Amino acid sequence: MELFGTVILAATLLGLLFLSLFKRDSIRYTKMPPGPTPLPVIGNLLQVNGGRPHLSFIKMSETYSPVMTVHFGQQPAVVLVGFKAVHEALVKQADAFSGRAEIPVFMKVNEGYGLVFTNGEHWKQLRRFSLSTFRDFGMGKRSIEEWIQEEARYLVEEVRKNIGHPFDPTFFLSHAASNIICCIIFGQRFGYHNDNFLHLLSLLNTNVRLLSNPFTQLYNIFPSLIKVMPGVYNKIWNNSKQLKQFVSEQIEKHRETLMADSPRDYIDNFLIRMKQESTNPSTEFDVNNLLVNVSNFFTAGTETTSTTLRYGLLILIKYPHFQEKIHQEIDSVIGRERPPFVKDRRNMPFTEAVIHEIQRFIDLLPLSLPHVTTQDISFRGYNIPAKTVVFPVLHSVLFDKTQWESPYTFNPRHFLDENDQFKINPAFMPFSAGKRICAGEGLARMELFLFFVSLLQNFSFSSTEDPEKVDLTPYTSSLLNVPQAYKLNAHKR
Ligand code: HEM
């Protein structure tokens, strides 16, 4: 009986504690958007498919609303589904939705530095500086267009060596995309057989896989698990440490050879700015921010563009008739002798439409990166407090039935008008939208055009199996949509 009384008392106290916590939160979270009822401790985790969370959100939104509250553990987050909701938030209320959520694994790896996972004045200054340096692509001896054209020549040569037998294009494409970001940040490219560089690329590739691992998602929801079961986190951390070590050595070499009046690349520009601000005690321009920014650009600039190229080739071998139409356009606008230029885009509406459709269809970052509200917001009649995590589901925008004629079909006509001229659609958001829109968008678009066109100018590609059997379903999906491993054949044109 005594035991029974103790249990009742403990249960009552726990209940009161729970209610008081709930009450405290409920004041802050009054009139939040609707959503599924959370369970204690785990919230709505059981309702979210770890491998394809964006699909669970779309399904939930049919019951609740395009603006919903979903609980990750005890943490409520707002999930935005469909073009209208995402556009209204990220574009129309751009400032209020422009924060970056604290993602525990990234916070630990980046230690609060760099621009991708930070906020406020710190983020603004580093983003402004980086965008203006990227825009200044003419810095150093060559323009970025020339760097890409040169890299495309190397890529074509590597593919040529593989004519006659099926090959996996992953490595060549990562190398090509990575070399472009290397030219901008380090002022140099690395050879296709440089072992040190190959090792770095394999670390990046492993980290993208580990970041999509269900364990990593659990760390992000319950950060204390990192202390209890650190296995996967330690691997990510060790790989990032090796990457940072490589970047540190590059920074050191740059310091030794820096000439303040002729910056060669991003690192030089940053070092010059560090010198100019050396007497400012609150400067954002210090060596930690340089190290993390450069490491982030290296990662963001390699895996995203190369995965798009790899997925794009898979789509083109499934649909050889689209490949043929691009061949015809290349032959009539560029010919076979000169390299493609960015200005050719204007005269190549079909090729442009296919590249846009590839980006729409592969839906590279289905959930974007999570945002956070920067202030208390009133949105569609709901109250969303400051610092609430927000997931803009880009997948639901790129496949929104109200915006696309046939969202689940690969259809370049989504980007062509009745006169076969290129037309943009505001729901084309693979780079997200608003104040946090991808800082490498311009660069990525140049790379995609020049690399795809250079490859198709020189080769046609075919599948090793019946094209109809080529499977376009992603192999993993939780952070990046990654295609299934495949081999293809290259044929000289
Ligand atoms: C096809 C290629 C790419 C795609 C689809 C892509 C997509 C994205 C997306 C969806 C975001 C999140 C935006 C948000 O928070 O709302 C992002 C952020 C970012 N991307 Fe990209 N990206 C690509 C290539 C690149 C490249 C080449 C760079 C190289 C510099 C880059 C640098 C960044 C940076 C620095 C951010 C963080 C921006 C910020 O927090 O202010 N991306 N990207």
Side-chain angles (χ1 to χ4, degrees):
M1 198 61 198
E2 204 179 316
L3 178 67
F4 182 65
T6 314
V7 171
I8 295 281
L9 182 65
T12 313
L13 285 175
L14 269 176
L16 284 174
L17 178 70
F18 185 74
L19 275 179
S20 74
L21 284 174
F22 183 74
K23 195 162 168 237
R24 206 184 57 199
D25 270 1
S26 69
I27 291 165
R28 187 168 174 246
Y29 291 103
T30 312
K31 251 185 116 195
M32 283 282 281
T37 310
L39 292 172
V41 186
I42 60 169
N44 299 116
L45 275 191
L46 298 180
Q47 285 137 293
V48 180
N49 172 345
R52 306 256 193 283
H54 49 284
L55 299 185
S56 309
F57 294 145
I58 290 175
K59 203 158 177 10
M60 280 178 198
S61 74
E62 287 161 11
T63 309
Y64 301 98
S65 100
V67 182
M68 301 180 286
T69 306
V70 178
H71 285 73
F72 295 85
Q74 290 292 83
Q75 172 90 34
V78 167
V79 177
L80 304 169
V81 174
F83 169 70
K84 286 203 174 107
V86 171
H87 184 262
E88 229 171 286
L90 298 193
V91 178
K92 293 198 181 150
Q93 297 206 34
D95 275 322
F97 282 94
S98 70
R100 173 71 71 222
E102 290 191 359
I103 309 172
V105 168
F106 289 122
M107 297 308 289
K108 284 207 170 269
V109 169
N110 290 335
E111 299 171 282
Y113 297 110
L115 79 87
V116 185
F117 296 101
T118 52
N119 282 306
E121 199 46 37
H122 171 96
W123 160 69
K124 269 191 197 147
Q125 286 215 31
L126 292 176
R127 183 171 165 113
R128 202 177 301 134
F129 171 83
S130 301
L131 284 178
S132 82
T133 306
F134 285 0
R135 229 176 275 126
D136 190 16
F137 285 140
M139 72 190 174
K141 291 192 188 69
R142 342 170 77 177
S143 72
I144 191 63
E145 184 174 32
E146 287 173 88
W147 283 115
I148 305 175
Q149 286 169 330
E150 182 189 341
E151 195 57 42
R153 279 198 294 280
Y154 284 109
L155 177 62
V156 164
E157 281 323 303
E158 288 303 314
V159 172
R160 209 184 294 286
K161 289 180 198 159
N162 284 278
I163 287 180
H165 56 89
F167 66 98
D168 175 349
T170 309
F171 156 73
F172 303 133
L173 298 173
S174 308
H175 209 115
S178 191
N179 263 339
I180 301 307
I181 194 73
C182 287
C183 292
I184 295 171
I185 54 186
F186 305 133
Q188 69 171 107
R189 68 178 294 278
F190 295 89
Y192 278 62
H193 304 286
N194 179 325
D195 287 340
N196 201 5
F197 192 65
L198 292 183
H199 176 60
L200 285 183
L201 290 184
S202 84
L203 294 180
L204 276 192
N205 201 280
T206 313
N207 262 8
V208 168
R209 262 190 306 111
L210 292 173
L211 287 169
S212 288
N213 184 299
F215 251 107
T216 317
Q217 312 302 330
L218 274 182
Y219 291 150
N220 287 331
I221 296 164
F222 305 109
S224 42
L225 279 182
I226 292 179
K227 289 193 197 114
V228 191
M229 290 185 284
V232 175
Y233 168 72
N234 279 347
K235 281 188 198 150
I236 297 175
W237 170 248
N238 282 331
N239 290 350
S240 305
K241 232 168 54 186
Q242 290 185 57
L243 174 60
K244 281 194 197 160
Q245 181 56 35
F246 174 81
V247 174
S248 277
E249 288 163 15
Q250 292 288 332
I251 293 175
E252 220 25 66
K253 282 186 198 157
H254 276 68
R255 270 192 208 273
E256 288 162 10
T257 52
L258 180 69
M259 285 193 286
D261 51 354
S262 56
R264 296 158 291 189
D265 47 37
Y266 182 89
I267 295 184
D268 273 2
N269 267 8
F270 203 102
L271 288 172
I272 292 167
R273 183 71 179 260
M274 271 168 66
K275 263 198 181 152
Q276 288 163 351
E277 299 216 2
S278 56
T279 52
N280 174 1
S282 57
T283 180
E284 306 298 350
F285 294 87
D286 59 30
V287 76
N288 290 323
N289 280 313
L290 173 58
L291 181 62
V292 173
N293 256 0
V294 169
S295 307
N296 286 174
F297 290 147
F298 187 58
T299 313
T302 298
E303 284 301 316
T304 48
T305 315
S306 70
T307 306
T308 307
L309 290 167
R310 183 159 96 252
Y311 225 143
L313 287 182
L314 184 66
I315 291 174
L316 291 177
I317 60 176
K318 184 172 177 70
Y319 301 115
H321 59 292
F322 290 142
Q323 217 185 127
E324 269 168 38
K325 269 196 94 170
I326 298 181
H327 282 146
Q328 285 163 13
E329 199 170 64
I330 293 175
D331 289 350
S332 78
V333 177
I334 304 176
R336 308 264 178 111
E337 302 303 322
R338 70 163 177 87
F341 286 87
V342 173
K343 67 174 172 7
D344 292 321
R345 284 205 293 219
R346 216 176 307 134
N347 301 317
M348 301 180 67
F350 186 75
T351 307
E352 271 287 82
V354 170
I355 295 173
H356 279 71
E357 182 65 354
I358 287 172
Q359 283 206 270
R360 182 193 75 79
F361 194 77
I362 71 167
D363 168 31
L364 190 69
L365 281 115
L367 286 179
S368 188
L369 293 176
H371 286 221
V372 82
T373 47
T374 57
Q375 62 198 63
D376 291 348
I377 307 172
S378 167
F379 187 73
R380 291 194 171 185
Y382 304 117
N383 293 336
I384 307 178
K387 298 198 176 150
T388 303
V389 174
V390 177
F391 287 96
V393 185
L394 295 184
H395 173 88
S396 68
V397 180
L398 296 171
F399 289 79
D400 188 329
K401 284 194 240 83
T402 65
Q403 304 297 314
W404 307 99
E405 199 181 298
S406 51
Y408 291 94
T409 308
F410 182 83
N411 177 10
R413 290 229 63 88
H414 285 138
F415 294 96
L416 291 169
D417 67 14
E418 52 291 354
N419 301 317
D420 290 338
Q421 291 307 303
F422 179 75
K423 69 163 190 216
I424 196 66
N425 180 325
F428 176 73
M429 280 189 193
F431 297 102
S432 187
K435 302 253 158 154
R436 281 278 178 175
I437 192 170
C438 171
E441 177 186 1
L443 174 64
R445 291 185 3 86
M446 278 168 95
E447 285 186 55
L448 293 178
F449 180 79
L450 295 175
F451 282 137
F452 270 128
V453 172
S454 301
L455 286 171
L456 292 165
Q457 186 182 35
N458 287 279
F459 309 104
S460 60
F461 295 97
S462 66
S463 170
T464 54
E465 56 180 342
D466 176 358
E468 295 216 343
K469 290 202 184 125
V470 170
D471 184 2
L472 299 180
T473 331
Y475 158 71
T476 62
S477 244
S478 47
L479 177 68
L480 286 194
N481 266 334
V482 177
Q484 320 258 352
Y486 73 96
K487 288 189 175 175
L488 47 53
N489 291 303
H491 312 273
K492 185 176 180 312
R493 290 190 64 219

